[in-house]
Amino acid sequence: YDSLSLIEECAYGCFDEACKEKRTIAYKDDLYIQEISFGHIDRFTVEDQMYLSITLINEGPVDLDGVGISVLIYDFGLYFKFGNFEIKEDKKVTKTRTFDIPFDVKKGEYDARIVISNDDIRRVVHREITLI
């Protein structure tokens, strides 16, 4: 008997010398971003409030706990974070948020950096928004 020989390969890992029945750790690919929109086709006038809508899908077999969303629009000097919600396995959730556009922002195109994360997963996406 060799203590290093493979006796059984566990699909979801081992615990206490036995195979786990189900995966218990979330993977990056479990979180799918179905849609991100900033209001009216990502265009705003400088007097508007900006509206963010984001739809996320958990395609994995593990509930995603403690999910948060942060948005940074560097050129606005705008950063906000919201969340601490759960996405059950194989479920979809839509989160929305409105925020004021700073009064001194000029018309133009700006980059928004959106981070969706919890303790196991971190997804970063960029969207361009236009102020008219």
Side-chain angles (χ1 to χ4, degrees):
Y1 172 74
D2 179 11
S3 65
L4 298 178
S5 23
L6 179 65
I7 297 170
E8 181 178 7
E9 190 168 334
C10 301
Y12 302 116
C14 303
F15 179 74
D16 201 22
E17 297 183 14
C19 287
K20 294 179 185 178
E21 294 295 315
K22 175 178 167 180
R23 181 159 53 103
T24 57
I25 298 171
Y27 299 147
K28 178 179 83 167
D29 294 338
D30 291 348
L31 181 62
Y32 176 72
I33 302 167
Q34 183 178 30
E35 180 182 15
I36 296 175
S37 66
F38 280 95
H40 315 292
I41 314 174
D42 301 342
R43 301 184 80 145
F44 302 89
T45 63
V46 290
E47 297 85 20
D48 285 342
Q49 275 196 323
M50 197 171 286
Y51 174 81
L52 169 67
S53 175
I54 183 165
T55 301
L56 306 169
I57 301 172
N58 179 358
E59 294 186 333
V62 178
D63 293 347
L64 300 175
D65 297 322
V67 177
I69 299 170
S70 65
V71 177
L72 171 66
I73 304 174
Y74 181 79
D75 293 328
F76 285 15
L78 180 70
Y79 175 80
F80 67 89
K81 188 174 185 175
F82 64 100
N84 199 12
F85 55 90
E86 175 183 56
I87 310 172
K88 297 274 190 195
E89 65 180 86
D90 295 320
K91 296 294 180 188
K92 173 169 52 172
V93 66
T94 299
K95 296 294 180 181
T96 59
R97 175 81 185 242
T98 57
F99 52 95
D100 293 323
I101 297 172
F103 69 92
D104 58 345
V105 172
K106 306 288 186 235
K107 296 176 183 179
E109 294 179 350
Y110 297 91
D111 181 62
R113 180 177 189 262
I114 302 127
V115 178
I116 303 105
S117 63
N118 71 1
D119 289 341
D120 300 315
I121 296 173
R122 179 179 172 85
R123 300 289 302 272
V124 179
V125 293
H126 293 263
R127 291 291 183 270
E128 188 174 273
I129 57 172
T130 304
L131 287 181
I132 53 174

